[in-house]
Amino acid sequence: MRILGIETSCDDTSAAVVDGREVLSSVVSSQDALHAVYGGVVPELAARRHLESIQAAIGLAMKRACADFDSLDAIAVTRGPGLVGSLLIGLSVAQGLGMRTGLPVYGVNHLEGHVLSPLIESELALPFLAMIVSGGHTAVYLVEDVGSYKEAASTRDDSAGEAFDKGAKMLGLGYPGGRLMDETARDGNRAAVVFPRGRVRAERFAFTFSGLKTSLWDYLNKQQEHASLEDICASFQEAIVDVLVSRAGELMTVCGVPRLAVAGGVSANSRLRGAVAEYGAANGCEIVFPPLRYCTDNAAMIAHAAALRMERGLPGDPLHAVSRLPLGPRLQAA
Ligand code: KG4
Ligand code: ZN
């Protein structure tokens, strides 16, 4: 099943060609530099840049895969969740190509792309838990099978990526701040400052990061003496990592599923990688981090998810853009 994937849900313009589980090409054009001056993604600018870049990204993906449209079986495109203006660019281009070539166009839930991304290059037995930690999402899903997902936990306010980015902004590190905080924290003392590990009352597994952000602001603005920048970063990062690892660990226990995949931009964090791996080794759990190029937003995971669904005869999503879109019902135990 040869599929051209198109992904424009946020600020990465991406096109890829897959043949079943094999990725033949993957092109990602990042808009980080465009949004850096504003300290965050500006939706109108993101949509406009997608429009400028998408044709070139598709052309390059097709060229690198040595593919022509006659050799394809379908076009897969992200239809949500994401920024509506950005999604509309991908959807319009996909439908235009579909009309021109006669290929079927298959709508994909962006979150399904993420949760199935561990299967692109790794073997992970079903069921498994997938923790998606990015700028747009922080959630854990029970992946029972392709097309069958339960939401075991999600955030009630900020995502983990937003917590990193907003914390980094308060500390004057720059944008996007997650990677810069990771680097600054590397030699810092994780116990120098005690930041809160947020919990949502009456929702055992839900994430909350807004209190952490406030607590950093209070620490910086209300205290006379401060630890070093390295120590503050290491302590702030530890609070995020601690919550992610402990919640994922609790869910593996409750679900009786000792397999965890971690994806999304925050999964690049060196301390998170180390802490999750340590947890897995200590508790006999299998841990998979997909290669970083498939952790952050990319069209290969969209085409791959479509290929797995089509192999099983599952239908595509409707082709209209939606900003919010659940992947499945809440897990009852959670
Ligand atoms: O998945 P992604 O590329 O885009 C979406 O948000 O969907 O994730 C971007 C997020 C940003 O918040 C960025 O600061 C964070 O991932 N990030 C990191 C690291 N690298 C990227 N956060 C912590 N440590 C990192 N090394
Ligand atoms: Zn994403």
Side-chain angles (χ1 to χ4, degrees), residues 21-214:
R21 281 178 60 178
E22 190 190 352
V23 178
L24 303 180
S25 66
S26 176
V27 175
V28 180
S29 169
S30 164
Q31 301 182 3
D32 274 357
L34 175 68
H35 301 288
V37 283
Y38 305 98
V41 176
V42 182
E44 289 76 11
L45 294 182
R48 209 173 304 161
R49 182 58 64 85
H50 283 309
L51 192 56
E52 288 161 9
S53 314
I54 187 71
Q55 295 294 354
I58 292 171
L60 194 55
M62 294 290 285
K63 190 171 164 206
R64 286 190 182 156
C66 299
D68 54 33
F69 283 99
D70 289 342
S71 69
L72 297 180
D73 297 295
I75 298 167
V77 60
T78 305
R79 72 99 165 196
L83 300 171
V84 168
S86 291
L87 290 163
L88 282 171
I89 305 298
L91 281 159
S92 316
V93 169
Q95 287 176 97
L97 279 174
M99 264 184 244
R100 205 185 82 203
T101 59
L103 289 166
V105 181
Y106 200 91
V108 177
N109 183 323
H110 179 81
L111 297 169
E112 187 166 23
H114 274 305
V115 301
L116 296 177
S117 67
L119 305 179
I120 298 178
E121 281 195 2
S122 313
E123 296 296 330
L124 191 57
L126 290 159
F128 62 85
L129 289 176
M131 180 159 72
I132 311 304
V133 275
S134 70
H137 313 280
T138 292
V140 181
Y141 298 95
L142 173 64
V143 182
E144 295 167 327
D145 198 352
V146 173
S148 177
Y149 315 100
K150 301 255 161 54
E151 185 186 290
S154 62
T155 181
R156 290 292 153 262
D157 40 58
D158 289 346
S159 67
E162 275 178 294
F164 270 111
D165 293 342
K166 289 175 181 172
K169 197 171 179 179
M170 278 187 231
L171 292 165
L173 294 178
Y175 170 87
R179 184 178 50 79
L180 300 166
M181 185 161 309
D182 188 358
E183 283 164 13
T184 314
R186 210 146 282 179
D187 298 319
N189 174 3
R190 296 172 204 149
V193 187
V194 181
F195 287 113
R197 273 62 171 158
R199 262 204 194 271
V200 179
R201 208 174 293 160
E203 276 191 279
R204 186 173 163 200
F205 298 109
F207 298 101
T208 169
F209 294 106
S210 57
L212 173 63
K213 197 176 56 186
T214 311

Side-chain angles (χ1 to χ4, degrees), residues 266-290:
V266 176
S267 70
N269 185 269
S270 58
R271 175 62 189 145
L272 177 63
R273 288 185 164 239
V276 175
E278 271 168 35
Y279 182 94
N283 294 280
C285 305
E286 193 179 347
I287 308 292
V288 170
F289 283 92

